[in-house]
Amino acid sequence: MIQPISGRQSGLCVRRCGTACPIASRRVPDITVLDHQAVLAAVSAAAAIDATRQAFLCHHRGEWTMPPKVYVQSPPFGDFRAMPALGGGFALLKWVTSFPGNVAHGLPTVNGVVCLSDAYTGMPRALLDAPAVTALRTGAVAAVASVALARSDARSVGIVGCGLNGAWVARCMAAAGYGPGVCFDPRDKVAGKLATELGWQTGDRAAALACDIVCCITPGKDVVVDAGDLRPGQHLNMLGADGSGKAEASLEAVQACELFCDEWEQASHGGELAGAVGAGLVTRDRVASLGAVLDGDLDGRSGPEAVTMFDSTGLAIQDLAIAIMAFEAGRDGRVKAGELRL
Ligand SMILES: NC(=O)c1ccc[n+]([C@@H]2O[C@H](COP(=O)([O-])OP(=O)(O)OC[C@H]3O[C@@H](n4cnc5c(N)ncnc54)[C@H](O)[C@@H]3O)[C@@H](O)[C@H]2O)c1
């Protein structure tokens, strides 16, 4: 049974680096436990956007590191993904799943846990709900990429796919000042609920794709954007294709855009760009990383009429940024967290 804590700091000290750590304490620190609601309560959409932007800059500058994601297949049910990262005085491992058949058993497709450890002692400091951390960082990166790559006068937002992560993309876009928007999902109810929450509208695929900024966050089984759908000056965030065989845009649509990604290795092997890269239609020199654009090392859109496409595959450094904030809120008693001693 996990007991709630109330701001007690479990023998923590603060080192000259400014990061709380247990190094001066002889006592083994308790592990802060944050469930789904606690993570969402700990990190606002606006804070998630700032932290995500900073994580991309730190990674681009080599201050935060991230070994490649490891896939562990569990055929025929699904796969596990291990996503490690180091930065900000912490190390993170996200152990997360994709089990598409779970829905038939009333279980979520995506589940898992984030473990946050102290980078100076190796001691585990927090366990967090992985879907909540993922939703916040996925929504946040859509906003970060839009600010960097969309036209400065872009306002309207089309959301294609209004599930867990689509909803957080919409919330983060609204928190970044975009909207109103159009929510489209074959499940009318989820689209309607999200539109009502944000004061946006529901619409069909064409209405969503007519917006200044389009965010696609579907399971990636079907193409939802073709070359004929693209409008001059538009920006697209492609977020649903985060594994091999998934795609939300046709090869022609990908080829017609100025291309950006979160990280080339992931995007070229398991992202929206993978199909075009595999077919020899897109090469690395055509794709700029978001971190390089944010840091001013590479250009964003070439002009007001260009169509820009950002391929988000989801990075462990994004999870790290959110997990640190959520951990600190739990440790300091700003949200209700549990505590666990192993
Ligand atoms: N890039 C990233 O960082 C990142 C992060 C999390 C999830 N994902 C991926 O995003 C996708 C969605 O994840 P989720 O957790 O929100 O899933 P979800 O099941 O909660 O939501 C998916 C939604 O898409 C809708 N949908 C299905 N086909 C559609 C279509 N053709 N047009 C419009 N909507 C459609 C479904 O009705 C559902 O509401 C998955 O592929 C997941 O792997 C990517």
Side-chain angles (χ1 to χ4, degrees), residues 188-232:
D188 294 340
K189 264 193 181 171
V190 295
K193 199 169 163 219
L194 183 60
T196 303
E197 176 190 323
L198 296 173
W200 293 4
Q201 293 182 333
T202 57
D204 58 13
R205 190 188 71 96
L209 293 183
C211 292
D212 300 338
I213 301 174
V214 174
C215 304
C216 297
I217 180 91
T218 72
K221 285 188 222 140
D222 304 308
V223 163
V224 289
V225 179
D226 207 346
D229 297 316
L230 303 174
R231 299 190 166 209

Side-chain angles (χ1 to χ4, degrees), residues 79-217:
D79 66 71
F80 295 87
R81 296 149 194 211
M83 300 174 65
L86 180 82
F90 292 91
L92 167 139
L93 177 67
K94 183 162 85 168
W95 181 238
V96 67
T97 61
S98 177
F99 278 57
N102 270 9
V103 179
H105 307 291
L107 295 170
T109 304
V110 176
N111 219 318
V113 67
V114 171
C115 178
L116 190 69
S117 300
D118 186 300
Y120 304 102
T121 63
M123 300 300 292
R125 301 306 316 280
L127 294 174
L128 306 96
D129 175 72
V133 172
T134 303
L136 278 168
R137 60 87 142 139
T138 304
V141 80
V144 172
S146 300
V147 171
L149 301 171
R151 280 167 55 142
S152 56
D153 61 353
R155 286 289 165 270
S156 61
V157 180
I159 303 288
V160 180
C162 303
L164 173 64
N165 286 283
W168 279 97
V169 167
R171 290 175 189 130
C172 288
M173 291 297 288
Y178 293 109
V182 176
C183 300
F184 165 63
D185 195 296
R187 296 189 297 153
D188 294 340
K189 264 193 181 171
V190 295
K193 199 169 163 219
L194 183 60
T196 303
E197 176 190 323
L198 296 173
W200 293 4
Q201 293 182 333
T202 57
D204 58 13
R205 190 188 71 96
L209 293 183
C211 292
D212 300 338
I213 301 174
V214 174
C215 304
C216 297
I217 180 91

Side-chain angles (χ1 to χ4, degrees), residues 249-252 254-255 259 264 267-268 271-283 286:
S250 67
L251 294 181
E252 294 73 21
V254 172
Q255 265 191 295
L259 299 173
W264 170 254
S268 59
E272 190 61 58
L273 302 181
V277 171
L281 301 172
V282 167
T283 47
R286 262 203 67 189

